[in-house]
Amino acid sequence: MGDDGRMHAMEDDESAAADQIRAIDIYPLSNYYFGSKEPLIFKDKTLADRVIRMKSNYAAYGLRTSVEAVLLVELFKHPHVLLLQIRNSIFNLPGGRLRPNESDIDGLKRKLSRKLSANGAPDASDWEVGDCLGTWWRPDFETLLYPHLSNNVKGAKECTKLFLVKLPENRKFIVPKNLKLIAVPLCQLHENHKMYGPVISGIPQLLSKFSFNIIET
C-alpha cells in the first residue's frame, strides 16, 4: 500500500472511531429543583441483616437482579454523577431490586419514581432509560460485586445492571428526608474504590465511549 493509501486508511479509521463516540447532553445542576418527602424505611439495620435477607430472598426467588441509574449533570463545566448518600458514609446509585418477572426498564422507572419523585408517582414518561452501561455479579452473599463471573462459580447470588438515564432540561427531585442526593465530579469517582465501591468508581470508564455536550441555559 502506498503513502496515499495508508493515509486514506488512517483517515477512515479515525472517522469510524469518531462515529462510535456518541454525545450525551447534560444540563447545569442549577436547572433542577431539590425537595424532600417522608423518610424511606430501611429494611436492614446492619450488614448482617442484609445478608440474612438476601439468603432468604435467594431461597424463595433465586438470583436477585438489581437495576441502577447513572444520572449526569453539569457543575463548574464538568460532568457530575448524582448519588444517594446514606448516613453520611454510604453512597448508592438510585435504583433497586426488580420484582419477579419485571423488566429492567420498568423496574428502574419504578425505583426512580419511588426514590426521586413526589409521592413516588410511577409516571413512565418521567424517565428516559438509555444504554445498559455494564453488568456486575455477586458470586456469594458476603463478597463485593465483580464485572465478570468466574467459570468456577456455579450460581451467582446477585446481578446488578447499570443504565444511563438521560435527564431533561429541568425537573424536580423529591428525595426522602433520610437520604441526600449529591452531585459528585466524574473525576473524583475514578478508581476511588475505598469511598465509593467498585461499581460507582468504575463509572468513568464505562462512560469513556461517550462525549459530553454541556448545554448552557
Side-chain angles (χ1 to χ4, degrees):
M1 182 184 294
D3 291 342
D4 289 345
R6 282 194 293 269
M7 184 175 296
H8 285 305
M10 290 174 62
E11 290 174 351
D12 290 342
D13 290 342
E14 290 174 358
S15 177
D19 289 341
Q20 293 175 357
I21 299 177
R22 289 179 293 151
I24 303 173
D25 291 342
I26 57 175
Y27 297 92
L29 182 65
S30 58
N31 280 27
Y32 303 100
Y33 169 84
F34 296 87
S36 63
K37 59 184 177 181
E38 291 302 310
L40 194 65
I41 299 175
F42 295 116
K43 296 179 180 179
D44 309 312
K45 293 184 178 180
T46 66
L47 180 59
D49 292 338
R50 186 177 188 277
V51 170
I52 291 171
R53 184 167 61 87
M54 287 182 64
K55 288 181 177 179
S56 175
N57 287 337
Y58 184 81
Y61 307 110
L63 176 70
R64 170 192 174 105
T65 301
S66 298
V67 286
E68 298 179 347
V70 176
L71 305 168
L72 297 171
V73 297
E74 176 271 332
L75 185 63
F76 304 123
K77 306 295 184 181
H78 190 80
H80 285 57
V81 179
L82 294 181
L83 299 179
L84 287 170
Q85 185 178 13
I86 307 169
R87 305 188 189 99
N88 297 320
S89 60
I90 300 173
F91 300 92
N92 289 330
L93 291 166
R97 182 168 65 94
L98 295 179
R99 292 170 176 167
N101 302 317
E102 186 176 35
S103 73
D104 295 342
I105 292 177
D106 288 345
L108 183 55
K109 288 181 177 180
R110 174 178 58 83
K111 284 293 185 178
L112 289 174
S113 294
R114 178 171 178 257
K115 293 183 178 178
L116 301 179
S117 295
N119 301 320
D123 184 354
S125 65
D126 275 356
W127 308 102
E128 184 181 350
V129 180
D131 292 12
C132 180
L133 298 174
T135 303
W136 294 72
W137 303 88
R138 193 186 304 276
D140 54 55
F141 297 110
E142 287 81 11
T143 58
L144 297 174
L145 290 157
Y146 295 94
H148 59 84
L149 194 60
S150 175
N151 291 332
N152 61 2
V153 176
K154 294 182 179 180
K157 302 302 183 287
E158 183 176 7
C159 169
T160 296
K161 300 178 182 180
L162 268 60
F163 286 87
L164 180 63
V165 176
K166 302 173 184 177
L167 290 176
E169 183 176 348
N170 50 68
R171 70 163 299 127
K172 293 181 179 180
F173 290 105
I174 310 299
V175 184
K177 293 179 180 178
N178 53 346
L179 299 177
K180 295 179 182 178
L181 189 62
I182 62 172
V184 180
L186 203 59
C187 60
Q188 183 175 314
L189 299 179
H190 181 57
E191 295 187 349
N192 195 343
H193 298 238
K194 185 175 181 180
M195 179 170 289
Y196 299 106
V199 176
I200 294 175
S201 63
I203 289 175
Q205 290 177 311
L206 296 176
L207 292 176
S208 63
K209 60 183 177 181
F210 299 95
S211 63
F212 301 108
N213 183 27
I214 295 176
I215 309 295
E216 297 184 4
T217 57

